[in-house]
Amino acid sequence: MQEHKLSLPYGTAIVHQKHIVHCNHDFAHILGYGSSDHLLAELSTLIELFSNDYLETIENEIELTLLGYSLPNAYLCKIRSKDGLYIPIAIMLKKMLWNDLSTIEMNVIDTRLAYLNYKGTREQDQMFRDMIINSTQGIIVHREFKPLFVNESWVSMQGANSTAQVLAMDSILSLVREEVASTVRKQYIDLVEHKCAATNTVVENIGLDGVSRYFNIYDNVILWQGEKAVQVILEDVSEKVALENELKFQATHDDLTGLYNRRAVYQWLEEQSNNNAPLVCLLMDIDNFKTINDNHGHQVGDNVICALASTANSVVQKSEGIVGRWGGEEFIAFIPVKLGLKCKLVAEKIRADFEALTFESKQQKSFHSTVSIGVANTNQIGDSASVDLLIQRTDQFLYLAKAEGKNRVCVDCSACRLPCVIDTY
């Protein structure tokens, strides 16, 4: 019997700071270039290599790999060739040192010939089936969401008891969140009607065991027993998504208090600018904070800062606003103006609740802390005024609150359209 071997084109490139700094001849050949030198002369960045659908994901994968969170499995995507066509590949990333630089080794496998190489003999068909069944990636084939085939990895990833349990299901749409079910149905129709190519997305599923997990999902149309069906390949990326979310949180939140940092506050304000709604601004500064640090230590000082952060956030959230740490012992809050909102009342609630808190010093002595608050809103400075002018205006009234004896709220009522009386919150 003639021996058949699976042989797929395989190439390697070295990536440093999103630039291809080296590649071998096989990598160049897969992309349709005559040599590696020819490729490097015409192609240097990942932007030129991947379409927008895959670029962000690849960049995130590279960043995570550099941090040591690489995944062992190949990632399916498409890469742009010299003639502008997109080639389906399997890509694997690995961190490595190259010329004393921390780089990424990017290995790609050209999968265009995979189906042809497996097709032909019964032995090869069985080998292909064994590969699918024993794959560490979850694989399911469905027609109109009715399962036709499923491997053990998919069963395990979705918290099912057995393949029989999955194949007995009328529809796997129950695993998809209700709010995205209509999108998933449309995507299925577009796939089988060839209105879109194979898709690759990260989605959240609720498994048969009730556990929420994130999966990298690759959908493509195949022929199953002579009729069109959709093959879904999935990879559990729950840990990676959790890490990405943690990195995003760290980039936008203050380490000590968990509140928004300055950059996140400005991002929130930019989102609010589209509706042109007036905003109330509060600037809060802990009174005599240096004395607290000097008398009780920085750990106690941090406790006081966190207490004000928690108090302010609890009050402001009820008014659908946000609180951010502005620096040191100073905090800022923005609240969308609504009919009946008493801006001074909100500030007074924060001031009074914070003053009522009791802190313990290192010497087991109890003490209280106070806060001064300045309040202004966009009505005072005109609808076209910038956020920075609003903050400057609010800072003036924080200064007045300090000058008038601290532990008080000072509000600019000169043109305020809102009631600023003190009342029970």
Side-chain angles (χ1 to χ4, degrees):
M1 179 182 296
Q2 181 181 358
E3 181 181 0
H4 296 275
K5 293 183 179 180
L6 177 64
S7 179
L8 301 178
Y10 178 97
T12 302
I14 306 298
V15 177
H16 178 62
Q17 295 182 347
K18 301 180 183 180
H19 289 268
I20 302 169
V21 295
H22 176 76
C23 69
N24 63 13
H25 175 77
D26 292 332
F27 183 87
H29 181 71
I30 290 173
L31 271 64
Y33 291 89
S35 67
S36 57
D37 290 340
H38 187 194
L39 182 146
L40 293 173
E42 295 188 17
L43 184 70
S44 60
T45 68
L46 295 181
I47 295 175
E48 297 169 293
L49 197 60
F50 294 96
S51 67
N52 291 335
D53 293 337
Y54 297 106
L55 180 60
E56 183 178 354
T57 300
I58 294 299
E59 289 178 343
N60 286 340
E61 291 284 347
I62 287 176
E63 182 179 353
L64 292 171
T65 302
L66 287 171
L67 291 172
Y69 293 95
S70 59
L71 294 170
N73 296 328
Y75 175 76
L76 299 174
C77 64
K78 291 184 179 180
I79 198 169
R80 185 185 287 117
S81 66
K82 185 177 185 296
D83 57 11
L85 299 177
Y86 284 96
I87 303 169
I89 62 165
I91 185 171
M92 293 171 287
L93 303 176
K94 183 174 69 175
K95 182 179 178 182
M96 66 171 293
L97 280 177
W98 185 80
N99 288 346
D100 294 328
L101 297 174
S102 182
T103 63
I104 292 294
E105 180 184 273
M106 184 169 65
N107 297 304
V108 301
I109 302 173
D110 186 348
T111 61
R112 288 174 292 184
L113 299 179
Y115 178 73
L116 294 176
N117 285 335
Y118 274 116
K119 189 178 180 181
T121 66
R122 187 183 301 271
E123 291 83 1
Q124 288 174 323
D125 288 341
Q126 185 60 48
M127 183 173 64
F128 182 67
R129 181 176 177 81
D130 289 344
M131 183 181 73
I132 296 297
I133 291 175
N134 299 321
S135 172
T136 58
Q137 293 179 317
I139 300 174
I140 190 170
V141 177
H142 68 87
R143 185 176 295 121
E144 296 182 353
F145 304 103
K146 168 64 180 174
L148 305 173
F149 167 84
V150 64
N151 71 352
E152 288 293 342
S153 291
W154 195 97
V155 170
S156 176
M157 288 179 181
Q158 294 289 2
N161 296 323
S162 64
T163 58
Q165 179 191 10
V166 177
L167 294 174
M169 295 175 65
D170 292 328
S171 172
I172 57 172
L173 267 180
S174 59
L175 303 177
V176 179
R177 288 197 173 276
E178 188 174 334
E179 58 268 25
V180 299
S182 59
T183 301
V184 174
R185 289 190 189 96
K186 183 180 184 304
Q187 181 175 294
Y188 173 84
I189 294 172
D190 289 346
L191 274 171
V192 296
E193 294 182 356
H194 301 293
K195 293 180 180 179
C196 70
T199 62
N200 181 239
T201 53
V202 174
V203 300
E204 181 183 7
N205 276 8
I206 307 299
L208 292 168
D209 55 357
V211 177
S212 175
R213 301 176 179 88
Y214 286 88
F215 296 101
N216 185 20
I217 293 183
Y218 179 83
D219 294 330
N220 66 298
V221 177
I222 64 170
L223 282 178
W224 185 268
Q225 296 179 344
E227 295 183 39
K228 289 180 182 178
V230 170
Q231 175 184 256
V232 182
I233 302 173
L234 58 84
E235 179 181 41
D236 191 338
V237 292
S238 300
E239 290 187 7
K240 188 180 75 170
V241 170
L243 176 62
E244 289 175 341
N245 291 337
E246 178 64 23
L247 292 174
K248 290 177 183 177
F249 184 89
Q250 291 176 2
T252 56
H253 289 73
D254 173 60
D255 289 340
L256 178 62
T257 64
L259 296 178
Y260 279 157
N261 57 24
R262 281 200 177 211
R263 182 172 71 172
V265 169
Y266 276 112
Q267 287 175 345
W268 184 88
L269 290 168
E270 186 176 346
E271 294 170 359
Q272 300 302 308
S273 65
N274 296 327
N275 56 30
N276 296 317
L279 291 172
V280 172
C281 178
L282 287 72
L283 272 173
M284 300 160 271
D285 188 81
I286 299 173
D287 298 325
N288 307 312
F289 185 72
K290 184 177 184 302
T291 301
I292 294 175
N293 273 341
D294 291 344
N295 292 342
H296 306 296
H298 289 281
Q299 180 61 55
V300 175
D302 285 349
N303 293 340
V304 174
I305 286 175
C306 290
L308 178 56
S310 177
T311 300
N313 198 43
S314 175
V315 175
V316 171
Q317 277 189 339
K318 295 176 182 177
S319 301
E320 300 180 11
I322 57 108
V323 182
R325 189 176 182 189
W326 209 235
E329 67 273 18
E330 190 173 36
F331 297 84
I332 196 166
F334 288 94
I335 304 172
V337 174
K338 293 187 176 181
L339 185 63
L341 173 68
K342 300 177 181 181
C343 51
K344 188 170 184 178
L345 201 59
V346 173
E348 277 292 336
K349 173 66 174 174
I350 296 171
R351 186 204 63 75
D353 286 359
F354 181 65
E355 184 182 20
L357 298 176
T358 301
F359 300 96
E360 295 288 338
S361 69
K362 291 189 297 185
Q363 295 78 25
Q364 304 300 314
K365 292 182 179 180
S366 299
F367 71 95
H368 295 272
S369 181
T370 60
V371 61
S372 298
I373 306 175
V375 182
N377 67 56
T378 50
N379 292 330
Q380 276 86 33
I381 54 179
D383 293 337
S384 62
S386 69
V387 170
D388 286 337
L389 285 176
L390 172 59
I391 295 172
Q392 291 173 18
R393 184 68 174 168
T394 310
D395 194 48
Q396 293 173 12
F397 286 87
L398 172 60
Y399 177 82
L400 287 176
K402 292 284 190 181
E404 291 178 5
K406 303 178 181 179
N407 189 26
R408 66 190 62 225
V409 175
C410 192
V411 183
D412 180 10
C413 295
S414 60
C416 188
R417 303 173 189 169
L418 304 173
C420 296
V421 298
I422 303 175
D423 202 350
T424 304
Y425 189 77

